[in-house]
Amino acid sequence: AQKVTQAQTEISVVEKEDVTLDCVYETRDTTYYLFWYKQPPSGELVFLIRRNSFDEQNEISGRYSWNFQKSTSSFNFTITASQVVDSAVYFCALSELGGGATNKLIFGTGTLLAVQP
Amino acid sequence: DGGITQSPKYLFRKEGQNVTLSCEQNLNHDAMYWYRQDPGQGLRLIYYSQIVNDFQKGDIAEGYSVSREKKESFPLTVTSAQKNPTAFYLCATSVEGYSNQPQHFGDGTRLSIL
């Protein structure tokens, strides 16, 4: 069965610290997509990144970076020099493609990141 | 202003009452989704629609109903059969339902029981 595990329920850091949010997934498919979303206190989910299973290159976008390791089924998210505005719940999600499957996302339980000034 | 509009922001339901949550989009996206979020459980899919006049059950469809009569609109009705409706409900859209395009989310509706 497909599953996404975010073992860190809550993380608290002080501003300017680096922080890594872990995501481990399970799937039997060879073709799949992984996503990260940010949910600020206002409630809406904001799309951050999508990565397909054939692209294991790490990605950097400003202070954000993502490390995809197929060998360990992990897709970790690092925020460098964290800021108070980074405080939010972060969700990792898995989507499978195959046999005409629709765009269904399997979400992890989320990690609440609190950045203290 | 493009986007996804969910209303109302807060909703209260009495025992035995059906309530309808609105989701409207002007992104011209084909696919629309409804998720339920409970504390500590992430998001779970209730219903989804890949095209107008078609919709499918998600993982927790019992006690809910939907319609998709227009591309822009995907209302969710929480029926009296849903015994534990208190949750945060999120509507999402994607360009199409058969690819892995990112889903875009509305601001959500928080439903509580009176």
Side-chain angles (χ1 to χ4, degrees):
Chain A
Q2 311 89 42
K3 186 178 178 182
V4 175
T5 301
Q6 295 180 257
Q8 304 152 308
T9 306
E10 293 185 35
I11 300 176
S12 182
V13 299
V14 177
E15 212 169 14
K16 298 184 182 176
E17 281 186 35
D18 298 347
V19 58
T20 295
L21 309 181
D22 297 334
C23 174
V24 174
Y25 62 92
E26 295 175 30
T27 179
R28 287 170 294 192
D29 280 13
T30 56
T31 303
Y32 52 89
Y33 287 77
L34 295 161
F35 300 81
W36 275 96
Y37 284 87
K38 173 182 179 180
Q39 185 178 39
S42 52
E44 82 281 13
L45 266 73
V46 178
F47 165 71
L48 296 178
I49 190 172
R50 177 187 66 173
R51 177 53 51 90
N52 74 56
S53 52
F54 296 108
D55 182 2
E56 291 193 65
Q57 284 191 352
N58 292 331
E59 181 154 341
I60 298 174
S61 176
R63 296 184 297 106
Y64 294 172
S65 63
W66 291 268
N67 181 271
F68 177 33
Q69 293 199 344
K70 219 168 174 179
S71 59
T72 56
S73 297
S74 65
F75 186 42
N76 296 338
F77 173 31
T78 296
I79 302 175
T80 303
S82 59
Q83 300 176 1
V84 172
V85 293
D86 296 327
S87 297
V89 180
Y90 291 87
F91 289 97
C92 180
L94 166 70
S95 175
E96 296 184 336
L97 179 66
T102 189
N103 189 9
K104 293 174 64 176
L105 291 178
I106 307 297
F107 283 87
T109 51
T111 297
L112 172 62
L113 174 64
V115 181
Q116 310 296 333
Chain B
D1 191 23
I4 303 165
T5 302
Q6 290 189 241
S7 61
K9 197 170 181 67
Y10 299 95
L11 187 57
F12 297 92
R13 196 192 88 168
K14 296 180 181 178
E15 289 287 337
Q17 186 181 46
N18 293 352
V19 292
T20 297
L21 284 60
S22 170
C23 179
E24 302 281 331
Q25 57 110 350
N26 60 7
L27 300 171
N28 201 34
H29 286 177
D30 284 331
M32 298 186 74
Y33 313 80
W34 274 106
Y35 290 91
R36 170 179 171 141
Q37 184 178 15
D38 294 281
Q41 293 193 44
L43 279 71
R44 293 180 290 168
L45 183 65
I46 305 172
Y47 268 98
Y48 60 95
S49 168
Q50 294 168 314
I51 55 172
V52 177
N53 292 321
D54 182 66
F55 51 83
Q56 306 294 329
K57 292 181 178 180
D59 300 319
I60 55 166
E62 186 174 349
Y64 299 97
S65 66
V66 293
S67 63
R68 187 83 187 277
E69 297 175 1
K70 299 186 299 182
K71 188 174 185 178
E72 304 79 23
S73 179
F74 191 41
L76 173 74
T77 296
V78 183
T79 74
S80 56
Q82 172 50 246
K83 298 306 179 187
N84 184 22
T86 298
F88 188 51
Y89 292 86
L90 285 157
C91 175
T93 72
S94 63
V95 172
E96 52 183 334
Y98 287 99
S99 69
N100 287 280
Q101 295 297 314
Q103 293 181 19
H104 303 273
F105 287 79
D107 291 347
T109 293
R110 197 165 296 278
L111 175 62
S112 302
I113 291 185
L114 281 178

